């Protein structure tokens, strides 16, 4: 606090104690206000995308880079590596159809498959790695959401990063595969915690107009994480080294220790003085010591609590908000089901599946840019509606009967590519939309509950695609059309959050629901 006041002393030497400096006074006069009563008003004065916010954005987006790395690393750890026939032995193409003494691994420590002998009859252990990870993520989402709302974004985030770092080191030196699976399950708890918390944490440093840009930049880090993973796998020839690299990377986001606690969380759960201190630090970072702000310029409104932070019963007790939350549950489930479903359906396209995977992933970058612009121009609800309609049309395209040569392939390509664009956009929208609709007191809890619904959709996706083979392809697209149709109807009743301030809690008669909540 003393450092902040040093910056204001310069201002006080130039302006009288009873008269705000010219810049602040002009800001107040232009908006017809006498002081800052909302955090977003202060953001607009100090700069909605100033140096402080950019630094916080970069540090917290590093976790986006790690989210892709940690979740897909097991794919590389459990690849079946190259093997060779032993001298003087007769071998066939399938290693599982000959005695183990006839062949050997080119590098026994290349992956965990070769190190722990998980091939052939022990291949079920590879599937166990993913199956053990999923329940860990569900537990992590349920627990971390409450802790983040109850004890703060920063404390919960740093705790989950440190625990993930310890578990990554433990996995690196695992002496047995069961031990690795145990640590892998626990890492599912901690890694999904920092993945989700950092989004809520990051959003609360920006006004509504800048959040779409944040999501686009965050996606760039996620894409970089996928490229980094492939590069690290080629660079390190040992599974222990590959796992150890994740531990080193996890040390980087500990820079979040220099990021202050979320002002929105402080205003809801702490004191207005602590909130003011953080905003003054951001002002000094963005505008320099002559930022012109003094404590008397802040009259932030601390809304009385409608319940304990992180209390899920707050949602259940409010019927209107419960209906809105259930709508978001359905949107998250459908979005995740379709998002992963279209990845599993890549074999419908011609050419290499890996190349198709890269192309489909590359589509997310222009999609994110276009979606960010749409959300800023026409709002969250309309953008979600448009992309749901796009997916519905693309899936419906495959249901049309045409007799042109090659029309079947053309329809499938158009259906999958167009739908992938729309569904990826939906994922971006629902993340930000949910954060803006949920009040600060249960924002992390609500987002994590929605994410659990998404996990259910992701779990079902591969089985659904496998069940709907070529003979029942029409059934798969019909289901897609039906789900999108229901989601479109539910979207019409959602509140618009564009240019609205974040609500503190359910007792806050804020801008978000005042005009839009008509259930």
């Amino acid at each position: 606090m003393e450092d902040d006041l040093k910056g204001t002393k310069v201002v006080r030497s130039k302006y009288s104690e009873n008269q705000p400096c010219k810049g602040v006074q002009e800001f107040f006069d232009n908006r017809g206000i006498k002081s800052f009563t909302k955090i977003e008003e202060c953001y607009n004065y100090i700069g909605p995308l100033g140096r402080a916010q950019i630094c916080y954005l970069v540090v917290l987006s590093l976790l986006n880079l790690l989210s892709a790395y940690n979740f897909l690393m097991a794919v590389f750890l459990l690849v079946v590596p190259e093997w060779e026939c032993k001298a003087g032995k007769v071998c066939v193409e399938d290693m599982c159809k000959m005695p183990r003494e006839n062949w050997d691994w080119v590098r026994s420590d290349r992956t965990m498959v070769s190190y722990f002998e998980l091939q052939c009859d022990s291949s079920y252990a590879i599937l166990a790695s993913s199956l053990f990870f999923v329940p860990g993520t569900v537990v992590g989402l349920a627990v971390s959401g409450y802790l983040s709302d109850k004890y703060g974004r920063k404390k919960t985030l740093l705790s989950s990063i440190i625990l993930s770092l310890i578990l990554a080191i433990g996995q690196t030196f695992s002496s047995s595969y069961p031990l690795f699976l145990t640590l892998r399950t626990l890492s599912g708890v901690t890694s999904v915690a920092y993945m989700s918390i950092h989004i809520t944490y990051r959003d609360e440093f920006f006004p509504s107009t800048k959040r779409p840009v944040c999501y686009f930049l965050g996606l760039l880090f996620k894409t970089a994480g996928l490229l980094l993973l492939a590069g690290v796998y080629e660079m390190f020839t040992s599974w222990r080294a590959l796992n150890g690299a994740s531990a080193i990377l996890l040390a980087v986001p500990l820079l979040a220790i220099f990021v202050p606690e979320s002002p929105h969380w402080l205003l809801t759960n702490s004191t207005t003085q602590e909130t003011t201190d953080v905003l003054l630090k951001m002002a000094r970072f963005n505008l320099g010591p002559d930022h012109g702000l003094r404590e008397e310029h802040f009259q932030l409104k601390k809304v009385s609590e409608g319940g304990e932070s992180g209390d899920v019963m707050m949602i259940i007790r409010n019927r209107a908000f419960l209906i809105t939350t259930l709508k978001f549950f359905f949107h998250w489930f459908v979005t995740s089901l379709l998002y992963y479903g279209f990845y599993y359906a890549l074999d419908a396209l011609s050419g290499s599946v890996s190349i198709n995977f890269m192309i489909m992933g590359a589509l997310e970058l222009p999609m994110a840019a276009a979606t960010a612009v749409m959300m800023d121009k026409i709002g969250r609800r309309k953008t979600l509606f448009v992309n749901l309609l796009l997916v519905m049309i693309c899936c419906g395209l495959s249901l049309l009967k045409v007799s042109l040569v090659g029309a079947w392939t053309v329809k499938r390509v158009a259906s999958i590519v167009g739908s992938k664009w729309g569904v990826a956009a939906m994922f971006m929208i629902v993340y930000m939309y949910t954060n803006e609709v949920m009040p600060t007191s249960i924002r992390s809890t609500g987002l994590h509950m929605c994410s659990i619904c998404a996990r259910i959709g992701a779990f079902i996706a591969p089985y659904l695609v496998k069940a709907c083979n070529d003979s029942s392809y029409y059934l798969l697209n019909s289901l897609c059309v039906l789900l999108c149709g229901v989601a479109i109807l539910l979207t019409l009743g959602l509140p618009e959050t564009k240019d609205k301030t974040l609500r503190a809690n359910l007792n806050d008669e804020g801008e978000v629901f005042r005009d839009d909540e008509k259930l």
Side-chain angles (χ1 to χ4, degrees), residues 444-488:
S444 282
T445 302
L447 180 68
H448 290 200
M449 289 170 63
C450 290
S451 189
I452 290 175
C453 295
R455 301 286 167 187
I456 297 173
F459 181 78
I460 295 175
Y463 300 101
L464 182 64
V465 173
K466 185 176 181 180
C468 297
N469 51 31
D470 288 345
S471 62
S472 57
Y473 186 75
Y474 287 114
L475 176 62
L476 181 63
N477 282 270
S478 297
L479 180 61
C480 173
V481 171
L482 177 61
L483 291 174
C484 289
V486 175
I488 286 174

Side-chain angles (χ1 to χ4, degrees), residues 80-350:
V80 179
E82 295 181 355
W83 58 274
E84 59 186 3
C85 188
K86 289 184 177 180
K89 300 291 184 178
V90 178
C91 297
V92 296
E93 292 184 2
D94 189 351
M95 67 172 71
C96 298
K97 294 183 178 180
M98 56 184 172
R100 177 64 181 85
E101 60 269 15
N102 285 21
W103 59 274
D104 206 353
W105 301 109
V106 175
R107 280 190 57 94
S108 61
D109 62 345
R110 181 65 173 110
T111 70
M112 300 183 72
V113 173
S114 56
Y115 190 83
F116 291 115
E117 296 290 342
L118 303 178
Q119 73 281 357
C120 303
D121 293 339
S122 300
S123 59
Y124 67 89
I126 299 178
L127 180 61
S129 175
S130 299
L131 292 178
F132 277 55
F133 192 72
V134 171
T137 60
V138 173
V139 173
L141 287 169
V143 174
S144 62
Y146 171 78
L147 294 177
S148 175
D149 287 329
K150 179 67 175 177
Y151 299 105
R153 321 297 191 212
K154 183 175 181 177
K155 291 179 181 178
T156 311
L157 180 72
L158 289 174
S159 298
S160 62
I161 294 174
I162 293 172
L163 289 174
S164 293
L165 176 59
I166 295 172
L167 291 170
I169 295 174
Q171 291 177 66
T172 301
F173 295 100
S174 296
S175 57
S176 65
Y177 191 63
L179 176 60
F180 175 85
L181 285 181
T182 302
L183 297 175
R184 173 73 174 162
T185 303
L186 294 175
S187 69
V189 176
T190 58
S191 60
V192 78
Y194 67 67
M195 280 175 52
S196 298
I197 293 171
H198 89 273
I199 296 175
T200 300
Y201 192 11
R202 180 192 66 193
D203 279 6
E204 292 177 343
F205 284 108
F206 296 89
S208 172
T209 55
K210 298 302 179 184
R211 290 187 203 114
V213 178
C214 295
Y215 274 81
F216 173 68
L217 295 177
L219 186 62
L220 293 180
F221 278 86
K222 179 181 178 181
T223 303
L226 293 173
L227 298 176
L228 177 65
L229 176 57
V232 169
Y233 176 71
E234 294 298 328
M235 183 183 304
F236 296 102
T237 57
S238 167
W239 73 270
R240 292 192 188 277
L242 178 62
N243 211 101
S246 69
I248 296 174
L249 289 174
L250 272 168
V252 178
L254 288 175
L255 290 171
I257 195 173
F258 298 108
V259 179
E261 181 56 87
S262 161
H264 282 279
W265 185 87
L266 288 172
L267 187 61
T268 303
N269 297 274
S270 186
T271 64
T272 55
Q273 181 61 51
E274 289 186 83
T275 310
T276 301
D277 292 346
V278 171
L279 293 174
L280 286 172
K281 288 180 180 179
M282 294 176 64
R284 185 172 184 178
F285 198 176
N286 286 356
L287 305 176
D290 295 325
H291 53 74
L293 293 180
R294 298 195 294 268
E295 290 187 11
E296 53 263 36
H297 293 153
F298 294 87
Q299 296 294 328
L300 297 174
K301 296 179 180 179
K302 184 175 175 62
V303 181
S304 60
E305 284 290 349
E308 185 181 14
S309 291
D311 183 8
V312 179
M313 295 303 295
M314 294 169 60
I315 299 176
I316 299 175
R317 287 191 293 263
N318 189 311
R319 179 178 176 274
F321 193 75
L322 174 61
I323 295 174
T324 299
T325 303
L326 292 176
K327 290 179 180 180
F328 275 105
F329 284 176
F330 184 79
H331 278 87
W332 279 74
F333 171 79
V334 171
T335 300
S336 182
L337 176 67
L338 297 180
Y339 182 87
Y340 291 101
F342 286 121
Y343 266 119
Y344 288 118
L346 285 179
D347 58 349
L349 302 177
S350 59

